[in-house]
Amino acid sequence: MNPPPTSDPDGAATSSEPSPNDPAVKAALARYWRSNITIMAVLLTIWALAGLGCGVLFADVLNQFHLGGYPLGFWFAQQGSIIIFVLIILTYCILLNRLDKKHHDELKSIRNGESA
């Protein structure tokens, strides 16, 4: 009896998908999630430093400088943290697209019997 067909992300039925219990697949998934969590931790740290650090904690020091006629600490609290947040979202999307492509390529090589 043949194993039941599985489906790929496009919904097409395939029967050559690697088993999720395969140690190579488990190792690939562990690497994927470790990379994803590292990316999130770094980006959230940058967001905390920009939003809380520059906008609140270091505002008095930054207010010695001016950007667009406004004190820098005030600018970070009002506009800078929002601009940085949008840039962080863009960066996260780009990095995760690259990570997803790398992960799919790795799963494809496991499926084809190549070493990852």
Side-chain angles (χ1 to χ4, degrees):
M1 182 172 178
N2 293 333
T6 58
S7 62
D8 64 7
D10 297 330
T14 61
S15 62
S16 63
E17 289 290 322
S19 169
N21 294 326
D22 184 351
V25 173
K26 284 184 177 180
L29 287 173
R31 282 191 296 274
Y32 174 83
W33 284 110
R34 188 173 38 250
S35 296
N36 191 350
I37 289 172
T38 301
I39 290 169
M40 283 193 295
V42 169
L43 293 177
L44 286 174
T45 300
I46 292 170
W47 183 44
L49 288 174
L52 181 64
C54 293
V56 178
L57 298 176
F58 309 120
D60 291 336
V61 175
L62 292 174
N63 282 339
Q64 297 173 13
F65 307 101
H66 288 77
L67 181 65
Y70 296 99
L72 190 56
F74 176 79
W75 185 86
F76 262 103
Q78 298 301 313
Q79 295 180 0
S81 60
I82 296 170
I83 291 170
I84 289 173
F85 181 70
V86 171
L87 291 175
I88 285 173
I89 291 172
L90 176 67
T91 303
Y92 181 75
C93 289
I94 291 169
L95 291 176
L96 260 285
N97 281 338
R98 288 181 185 168
L99 182 63
D100 286 347
K101 181 179 180 335
K102 180 181 172 186
H103 179 69
H104 286 288
D105 290 345
E106 189 174 5
L107 287 180
K108 189 183 295 182
S109 69
I110 291 171
R111 185 182 316 133
N112 293 335
E114 302 166 5
S115 63

